[in-house]
Amino acid sequence: MKPLRIAHVGPVATSIPPPKSGSVQMMASLLNEGLVARGHDVTLFATADSVTSSKLHSLFPHGYWHDEDMWPWELYEMMNIAAAVERAEQFDIIHFQAAYYPMGLPFSRLSRTPLVQTLHHSPDADEVALWKRYPEAPFVAISKEQASLLEGQNVAGIVLHGIDTDRFTFRPTPDEDDYLLFLGRFTEGKGVLQAIEIAQRVGMRLILAAAEEPYYREAIAPHVDGRQIVYFGEADFDAKVKLYGGARALLYPIQAREPFGLVLAEAMACGTPVAALDRGAVREVVDDGVTGIIFDDLEAMIGGLRRVFNLDRQRVHDRAVERFGIFRMVDQYIEVYHRIIDAHRKAVR
Amino acid sequence: MKPLRIAHVGPVATSIPPPKSGSVQMMASLLNEGLVARGHDVTLFATADSVTSSKLHSLFPHGYWHDEDMWPWELYEMMNIAAAVERAEQFDIIHFQAAYYPMGLPFSRLSRTPLVQTLHHSPDADEVALWKRYPEAPFVAISKEQASLLEGQNVAGIVLHGIDTDRFTFRPTPDEDDYLLFLGRFTEGKGVLQAIEIAQRVGMRLILAAAEEPYYREAIAPHVDGRQIVYFGEADFDAKVKLYGGARALLYPIQAREPFGLVLAEAMACGTPVAALDRGAVREVVDDGVTGIIFDDLEAMIGGLRRVFNLDRQRVHDRAVERFGIFRMVDQYIEVYHRIIDAHRKAVR
């Protein structure tokens, strides 16, 4: 099959891959490098401090997360998309990572080349009602859960995120110093208060790893005693891998309906089983009874936590690698690209 | 001359004309109706509750100022611009009123028809540095002052705003109950504290007319005694005309460098002379010694206020009508459109 000429448009908030955190940037980088590895002709539209083996088309030296004079940020994003659309005839497909909202829509009918967007959040009904003004514009959903919110849109494919499973070192046994782990942003929706309640009621240590935010100081810090409930701070990549691998289980008592759950895949890749509430995309990411256990509510999770500990960590790891390896994601995107390009050719004919 | 086919793209924040305040919407409406009156084929891209004698292309029933579910507002604006650019071949020119920032730039190279933008704020150097990525994209500046900030951009014309001078009733003599007037938003930049100081030092009454905002409650309200310093509230159109016409002078001790000064033109149309500080576009709007007096600083204004009172109100009015009538603005825009269309034809050839 002929290599595809792909314009891959990342957000210009920070570099790709990101210097620290930035899940959209990390995913964009993995996909980008994977597409190159599969032999495609890829041009990444991103900040000049991005690092890639593809071609790099950069309008800006660095991202607006690092420079408050880069305002309004939307105009920077729009110009980055426009740079690809203005060169549409040089590409077979333009792929925009819609980190905040699908800004690619208003450009889609002005592009000679089909423009597909990966959506990274759970849209509400009012947003989707607006997007229906471009019902033909293709989206990639990152889960069935997210796709179910996209009624009236053209969902060209559902592709779960991949992670760099090689970098999430497998640990056959957790630390002797037993602990549970909560990792993620401190928000109500992430269920950090519920994680604390679980730890307290089962009498186990809980390590909280996330950046300190107002919500932490207001709602979480009063529960942190440094003995049973321990605050680690924000973990960089290496610390994250150690924290995952050493934990008996990752607690994921998620309250919001999230479109994915990257920490689930990451913990599982380290061999650490997850205890998750049945919300949002959890059922698509966790293989119930294999890589973790999915509970209906907090009481069930507290009662069933021991069953999570008994899951086979080797099997957890193997399944995670199989399901969340980079090339599963990359190859699914290539399929989606071909599907969109073929449909476009037929429509134009 | 053949009528022009004009796509006039307004903001979709509220209707055109606006139900209450909204200077961009008011200017857009006056221009739009004036273009129709001059025989052009105009399509206004605006909310469905807009009122116009031109064609109306509306994507949205109402504006995002009135509906918090219309979020993010930028996407609404982008879709409204895109609707015009998608139909570019039906128009000779597309004119976008850039109420917040020139969102039309990223669409300009994707449009078959030239896209011109009127800028409604004073951009800082970082903004303009970004816009230079589209150095060919034409702008209309609303004053020389604003144009001077647009280094590196293509300023296709400078067109001062027009106002509906017929609706600003001329008053040959002010109210017997002598007062000075401050009208405008309560912000530091507008110089409302300076207006209060002037009134106190010359021992005259001052009426403040603007919407109550946090800055009013914090900084202004303590000075309001209801006798010398009077707070009127937010004035609707009729009240505004009465307040202008009855005042001995409009105080305009502006602190910020503003790109225009609509209240100056409005007061002058009512025959009321203005006392203004020499900042921003003031010298372009006020004819020094005819429609008002321009002072270097507050002390000079306090010392010279009597000279403002002595200006001939009939002459103030006549000059305002001559300089800020709708058709002066409309005809200048038509000239600018022709200039841009001709340049575009030559470039394409």
Side-chain angles (χ1 to χ4, degrees):
Chain A
M1 197 109 69
K2 241 179 71 179
L4 292 173
R5 298 169 306 161
I6 301 165
H8 187 201
V9 185
V12 286
T14 186
S15 62
I16 290 175
K20 282 189 183 170
S21 45
S23 62
V24 177
Q25 286 77 9
M26 182 53 79
M27 174 272 181
S29 177
L30 295 175
L31 174 60
N32 204 70
E33 302 314 296
L35 291 168
V36 173
R38 287 296 198 225
H40 295 287
D41 178 7
V42 184
T43 305
L44 179 65
F45 288 77
T47 57
D49 54 355
S50 297
V51 178
T52 175
S53 57
S54 75
K55 294 172 201 161
L56 177 63
H57 186 107
S58 54
L59 296 180
F60 315 116
H62 53 251
Y64 52 78
W65 282 356
H66 311 288
D67 187 346
E68 62 179 18
D69 290 332
M70 291 176 69
W71 178 92
W73 64 266
E74 291 91 347
L75 192 52
Y76 286 80
E77 291 290 357
M78 286 166 71
M79 285 190 180
N80 193 46
I81 301 171
V85 177
E86 288 164 8
R87 289 155 187 81
E89 72 284 352
Q90 301 172 16
F91 303 107
D92 298 308
I93 191 150
I94 299 172
H95 181 188
F96 175 56
Q97 301 292 348
Y100 298 103
Y101 57 92
M103 282 190 158
L105 283 180
F107 292 98
S108 61
R109 287 178 193 157
L110 303 171
S111 178
R112 294 177 185 201
T113 294
L115 190 160
V116 61
Q117 302 184 87
T118 296
L119 202 61
H120 289 268
H121 76 291
S122 292
D124 66 28
D126 291 312
E127 292 180 80
V128 178
L130 174 64
W131 306 350
K132 276 185 197 160
R133 300 191 173 271
Y134 290 80
E136 79 288 0
F139 277 95
V140 173
I142 60 172
S143 62
K144 285 182 204 164
E145 157 69 19
Q146 192 198 49
S148 74
L149 304 174
L150 282 168
E151 210 196 336
Q153 291 303 135
N154 171 15
V155 179
I158 297 173
V159 185
L160 298 179
H161 287 332
I163 59 171
D164 191 352
T165 52
D166 289 347
R167 295 182 67 197
F168 291 91
T169 319
F170 172 54
R171 282 274 301 276
T173 49
D175 282 2
E176 287 186 16
D177 181 18
D178 257 9
Y179 68 89
L180 300 167
L181 178 66
F182 173 94
L183 198 145
R185 273 179 306 123
F186 287 132
T187 65
E188 244 177 85
K190 296 281 185 189
V192 53
L193 285 174
Q194 285 75 11
I196 290 169
E197 185 183 339
I198 293 164
Q200 286 169 336
R201 291 196 32 207
V202 302
M204 282 182 73
R205 270 211 320 152
L206 172 69
I207 295 180
L208 305 168
E212 202 178 317
E213 286 184 84
Y215 181 71
Y216 172 80
R217 291 187 287 273
E218 287 157 26
I220 313 304
H223 300 285
V224 172
D225 58 15
R227 297 159 54 94
Q228 191 180 7
I229 310 296
V230 179
Y231 177 46
F232 179 86
E234 188 177 11
D236 64 14
F237 190 85
D238 290 342
K240 231 162 71 166
V241 172
K242 273 195 195 128
L243 286 168
Y244 283 135
R248 282 295 286 265
L250 178 86
L251 294 187
Y252 196 75
I254 192 88
Q255 303 295 302
R257 279 180 63 178
E258 300 244 334
F260 196 71
L262 216 45
V263 292
L264 296 169
E266 292 177 352
M268 282 152 32
C270 296
T272 303
V274 303
L277 281 187
D278 193 6
R279 301 265 158 81
V282 161
R283 218 159 255 288
E284 298 173 68
V285 180
V286 179
D287 290 340
D288 196 15
V290 179
T291 53
I293 295 181
I294 302 172
F295 299 97
D296 285 339
D297 54 39
L298 213 63
E299 291 306 318
M301 194 184 282
I302 290 165
L305 202 56
R306 295 277 145 194
R307 289 193 289 129
V308 179
F309 301 161
N310 291 335
L311 293 171
D312 178 348
R313 293 177 74 99
Q314 181 70 53
R315 224 176 137 213
V316 171
H317 166 76
D318 292 348
R319 184 66 63 93
V321 171
E322 181 194 324
R323 291 201 54 213
F324 298 103
I326 297 171
F327 283 99
R328 189 270 308 146
M329 169 175 77
V330 171
D331 292 339
Q332 284 185 306
Y333 268 103
I334 294 169
E335 264 181 56
V336 171
Y337 295 161
H338 278 295
R339 209 179 303 146
I340 292 169
I341 293 166
D342 290 348
H344 181 74
R345 274 194 198 128
K346 273 178 201 148
V348 169
R349 234 185 255 154
Chain B
M1 195 110 66
K2 237 177 75 179
L4 293 173
R5 299 169 305 161
I6 301 165
H8 187 201
V9 185
V12 286
T14 185
S15 62
I16 290 175
K20 281 188 184 173
S21 44
S23 61
V24 178
Q25 286 77 12
M26 182 53 78
M27 173 271 181
S29 176
L30 295 176
L31 174 60
N32 205 71
E33 302 315 295
L35 291 168
V36 172
R38 286 297 198 225
H40 294 287
D41 178 8
V42 183
T43 305
L44 179 66
F45 288 76
T47 57
D49 54 356
S50 296
V51 177
T52 175
S53 57
S54 75
K55 294 171 201 162
L56 177 64
H57 185 107
S58 55
L59 296 179
F60 315 116
H62 52 252
Y64 52 80
W65 282 356
H66 310 288
D67 186 346
E68 61 178 19
D69 290 332
M70 291 176 70
W71 179 91
W73 64 266
E74 291 92 348
L75 192 51
Y76 287 80
E77 291 290 356
M78 285 166 71
M79 285 189 180
N80 192 47
I81 301 170
V85 177
E86 288 164 7
R87 289 157 187 79
E89 71 283 353
Q90 301 172 16
F91 304 107
D92 298 309
I93 192 151
I94 299 173
H95 181 187
F96 175 56
Q97 300 293 348
Y100 298 103
Y101 58 92
M103 282 190 158
L105 284 181
F107 292 98
S108 61
R109 288 180 192 153
L110 304 170
S111 178
R112 293 177 186 203
T113 294
L115 189 160
V116 60
Q117 302 183 87
T118 295
L119 202 61
H120 289 268
H121 75 292
S122 293
D124 67 28
D126 291 313
E127 292 181 80
V128 178
L130 174 64
W131 306 350
K132 276 184 197 163
R133 300 192 173 272
Y134 291 81
E136 78 287 0
F139 277 94
V140 174
I142 60 173
S143 61
K144 285 183 203 163
E145 157 69 18
Q146 192 197 49
S148 73
L149 304 173
L150 282 169
E151 210 196 335
Q153 291 303 137
N154 171 15
V155 179
I158 296 173
V159 185
L160 298 179
H161 287 330
I163 60 172
D164 191 352
T165 51
D166 289 347
R167 294 183 66 199
F168 291 91
T169 319
F170 171 54
R171 283 272 301 276
T173 48
D175 282 3
E176 288 186 15
D177 181 17
D178 255 9
Y179 67 89
L180 300 167
L181 177 65
F182 174 93
L183 198 145
R185 272 179 307 123
F186 288 132
T187 66
E188 244 176 83
K190 296 282 185 188
V192 52
L193 285 175
Q194 285 75 11
I196 290 169
E197 186 184 339
I198 294 164
Q200 286 169 338
R201 291 197 31 209
V202 301
M204 283 183 72
R205 269 210 322 151
L206 173 68
I207 295 180
L208 304 168
E212 201 179 318
E213 285 183 84
Y215 180 71
Y216 171 79
R217 289 187 288 272
E218 287 157 26
I220 313 304
H223 299 285
V224 172
D225 58 15
R227 297 161 52 98
Q228 189 179 8
I229 310 297
V230 179
Y231 177 46
F232 179 86
E234 188 177 10
D236 63 14
F237 190 85
D238 291 341
K240 231 161 71 164
V241 172
K242 274 196 193 126
L243 285 169
Y244 283 135
R248 282 294 287 263
L250 178 85
L251 295 187
Y252 196 74
I254 193 88
Q255 302 296 302
R257 278 181 63 178
E258 300 245 333
F260 196 72
L262 216 44
V263 292
L264 295 169
E266 292 177 352
M268 281 149 37
C270 296
T272 303
V274 303
L277 281 187
D278 193 6
R279 301 267 157 83
V282 161
R283 218 159 256 288
E284 297 173 68
V285 180
V286 178
D287 290 339
D288 195 16
V290 180
T291 53
I293 296 182
I294 302 172
F295 300 97
D296 285 339
D297 54 38
L298 212 63
E299 290 306 318
M301 194 184 283
I302 290 166
L305 202 56
R306 296 275 146 196
R307 289 194 289 129
V308 179
F309 301 162
N310 291 336
L311 293 172
D312 177 348
R313 293 176 76 98
Q314 180 70 51
R315 221 174 140 216
V316 171
H317 166 77
D318 292 349
R319 184 65 65 93
V321 170
E322 180 194 323
R323 292 200 55 213
F324 298 103
I326 297 171
F327 283 98
R328 189 269 308 146
M329 169 175 77
V330 170
D331 292 339
Q332 284 185 306
Y333 268 103
I334 294 169
E335 263 181 58
V336 171
Y337 295 160
H338 278 294
R339 209 178 305 145
I340 292 169
I341 293 166
D342 289 348
H344 181 75
R345 274 194 198 129
K346 274 177 202 152
V348 169
R349 235 184 253 154

